[in-house]
Amino acid sequence: MTASFVHLHVHSDHSIVDGLLRVSELVNACADLGMPAVALTDQSNLFALVKFYQAARARGIQPIAGADIWVESAAEGEEPTRMVLLVASENGYRNLLRLCSSAWLEHQQQGRAVVSRRELQDAADGLLALSGGTQGEIGRALIAEQPEQAEALLREWQGVFGDRFYLEMHRVGLSGEDVCNEQSIRLAAAAGCAVVASNDVRFRSPEH
């Protein structure tokens, strides 16, 4: 059986100023490439979910709901970092809605909707989490040559999500990604954590 690649980190034009990909373009491209499923992970929102679900089902593609969120830093005063949350159950969907709503209503920082660390820990049921690659806190620690901190953060999130937490790697030309990828593989092996590859998609084609 041939393994199929599935995009798990995709922004549409519903990610304000952070994506140009229309939902119909995304679904049609996946269908044309024979992809069995795709996740839509817009920035801190699920605005396109109904349109995405209907379009994907119409083309025989499994829709995966999710969001690319900003997570409050563990250290006071530090910038928030990225994490991708994917819905794995009905309760996970409710939890993700609640997290995004709370981020916009109660935890905005410099115009960004930031998810409270404590609320995320309390609402992890039914959700899968990707570490955010170079933009996540574990990736940033690895790039900064702080392996002990990276390991401690990984253990923290494994304690929250269990085997539903994944170290995310991508190769899209971002600074530090080679170091992050190499060290992520080593850290994953040491900590017994699964690894996923994503492309952090925002456009349909390079000219966009």
Side-chain angles (χ1 to χ4, degrees):
M1 180 176 180
T2 302
S4 299
F5 182 82
V6 172
H7 282 291
L8 297 176
H9 191 165
V10 181
H11 289 192
S12 75
D13 55 359
H14 286 73
S15 289
I16 310 303
V17 305
D18 200 26
L20 289 178
L21 185 60
R22 295 182 179 179
V23 170
S24 59
E25 292 175 333
L26 167 63
V27 171
N28 289 336
C30 290
D32 291 343
L33 291 170
M35 294 182 174
V38 64
L40 183 62
T41 57
D42 278 318
Q43 187 63 57
S44 303
N45 76 74
L46 292 94
F47 299 154
L49 181 58
V50 173
K51 182 191 300 184
F52 168 60
Y53 183 87
Q54 292 174 340
R57 293 300 294 267
R59 292 301 307 268
I61 294 173
Q62 175 65 43
I64 303 171
D68 187 354
I69 64 169
W70 291 103
V71 180
E72 176 187 43
S73 173
E76 186 175 353
E78 291 189 2
E79 289 289 307
T81 55
R82 295 279 182 92
M83 183 182 290
V84 177
L85 300 178
L86 302 174
V87 171
S89 70
E90 183 176 346
N91 193 45
Y93 170 66
R94 293 195 186 97
N95 282 334
L96 185 56
L97 282 177
R98 184 162 59 250
L99 287 169
C100 288
S101 296
S102 177
W104 282 109
L105 293 172
E106 301 177 23
H107 303 290
Q108 286 197 49
Q109 296 181 19
Q110 299 178 342
R112 292 181 298 202
V114 178
V115 171
S116 159
R117 205 174 190 88
R118 176 52 64 89
E119 288 181 355
L120 179 53
Q121 293 168 348
D122 292 341
D125 182 64
L127 294 171
L128 285 74
L130 313 185
S131 67
T134 59
Q135 305 301 307
E137 60 183 6
I138 295 173
R140 290 188 180 181
L142 292 173
I143 294 170
E145 299 183 354
Q146 299 173 334
E148 294 84 4
Q149 181 182 359
E151 181 178 359
L153 290 167
L154 175 56
R155 295 296 188 191
E156 176 186 347
W157 291 119
Q158 284 181 312
V160 174
F161 291 97
D163 61 2
R164 292 175 288 109
F165 187 84
Y166 300 81
L167 283 174
E168 180 183 5
M169 300 190 301
H170 46 235
R171 186 172 288 123
V172 294
L174 295 177
S175 176
E177 66 184 20
D178 288 339
V179 172
C180 182
N181 290 344
E182 180 181 349
Q183 295 302 317
S184 291
I185 292 173
R186 293 181 180 178
L187 179 58
C193 181
V195 175
V196 297
S198 75
N199 280 352
D200 198 7
V201 177
R202 285 166 170 74
F203 311 102
R204 171 64 180 87
S205 57
E207 57 268 23
H208 291 165

